[in-house]
Amino acid sequence: AEKVLGYDLLSLCLEGPRDALDRTQHCQPAVFVASLAAVEKLSRQRPEVVGRCVAAAGYSVGEFAALVFAGALDFAEALQAVKVRAEAMQKASEAVPSGMLSVIGRRQANYKFACLEAREHCESLGIENPVCTVSNYLFPDSRVIAGHLQALEFLQENARKYYFTRTKMLPVSGAFHTRLMEPAVEPLAEALKSVEIQKPLLCVYSNVDGKKYMHSSHIKKLLVKQVVSPVLWEQTMHSVYERKQGTDFPYTYEVGPGNQLGAILKKCNLKAWKQYKHVDAVEDEEVAE
């Protein structure tokens, strides 16, 4: 990773500084590498689990890690593409004051209508072509809305009107998975041209449509589209865990930093979550004998 990136990612992850690690250009490669490091740890501790795996999915940049795990992408080539993606998204973020707002709403919350009124508010302030849209579908009654900062501030101020019970700004610098990321599309498409993509050895689900990738050109196309498309994570969870009544749910392992995907799974499918475990690359290290 250090060779590909040109800086010491391990010491940045372990020692910080935190604000440097939180920057998009460093954060995305860090999540990608730490996720695959956790896979290595799992394959040493429980090789049979990795050997029997039937499906994989990754959230946003995690999709690159899922595709490496499934044998579709080479680690170094994928990391190079992630580096380009992260730097281009960082640059796009800096062009417009924008961000992401995590929202938990009541059943009657109408996210589309809220976003429409937030855009109209921006237009009244003189902002041309304002962006405010759902960028991540997390679990029933929870979304991330992304766009111009003025739109997100408007939604926070009017949360009660839209039946939002909780709103929280995310610690990111831009409106990821919206058209404000369009400047990042071309650099990523260019980087992926030289990447050899194989057919995955197991099912990998796409963030763009929540469905299985079918072939390598499909992967290339959707990885680029993903940058400006909402992450359909809730829909992906339904695709992954669709079962006939009475069929057992598989074991699920979340590999990498944080266990937010486990928390989302619990809200989407409690029965599937009961078979869930989290594996972090650096926690619970066994003492060397």
Side-chain angles (χ1 to χ4, degrees), residues 84 88 181-193 224 227:
V84 169
M181 289 295 116
E182 268 168 12
V185 165
E186 195 48 48
L188 178 58
E190 199 57 41
L192 286 171
K193 273 183 188 167
V224 173
V227 172

Side-chain angles (χ1 to χ4, degrees), residues 9 13 29-39 255-257 279-281:
L9 182 67
C13 286
V31 169
F32 169 81
V33 174
S35 299
L36 289 166
V39 171
V255 285
V279 182
D280 192 302

Side-chain angles (χ1 to χ4, degrees), residues 113-226:
F113 176 65
C115 289
L116 172 68
E117 292 211 327
R119 288 196 299 273
E120 286 171 352
H121 167 72
C122 285
E123 283 168 355
S124 76
L125 298 175
I127 297 169
E128 284 181 29
N129 278 333
V131 172
C132 182
T133 183
V134 173
S135 61
N136 306 70
Y137 292 81
L138 301 179
F139 54 85
D141 308 320
S142 179
R143 310 273 187 278
V144 174
I145 294 174
H148 282 83
L149 279 183
Q150 295 90 332
L152 304 182
E153 285 160 7
F154 173 83
L155 291 179
Q156 282 185 295
E157 284 161 19
N158 294 279
R160 189 172 284 182
K161 176 185 175 183
Y162 302 118
Y163 301 102
F164 296 166
T165 52
R166 200 172 68 104
T167 60
K168 186 186 174 205
M169 286 297 290
L170 297 179
V172 294
S173 53
F176 304 145
H177 304 290
T178 71
R179 64 179 168 81
L180 287 175
M181 289 295 116
E182 268 168 12
V185 165
E186 195 48 48
L188 178 58
E190 199 57 41
L192 286 171
K193 273 183 188 167
S194 57
V195 174
E196 200 180 332
I197 301 180
Q198 311 289 340
K199 192 173 188 304
L201 301 171
L202 46 101
C203 298
V204 180
Y205 290 80
S206 163
N207 287 183
V208 172
D209 58 10
K211 295 175 184 165
K212 294 173 194 169
Y213 278 118
M214 301 314 288
H215 44 76
S216 53
S217 60
H218 190 212
I219 292 172
K220 203 167 271 198
K221 190 174 148 192
L222 291 191
L223 281 178
V224 173
K225 197 176 175 188
Q226 192 226 55

Side-chain angles (χ1 to χ4, degrees), residues 6-7 42 174 270 286:
Y7 58 87
L42 180 62
L270 187 60
E286 283 94 352

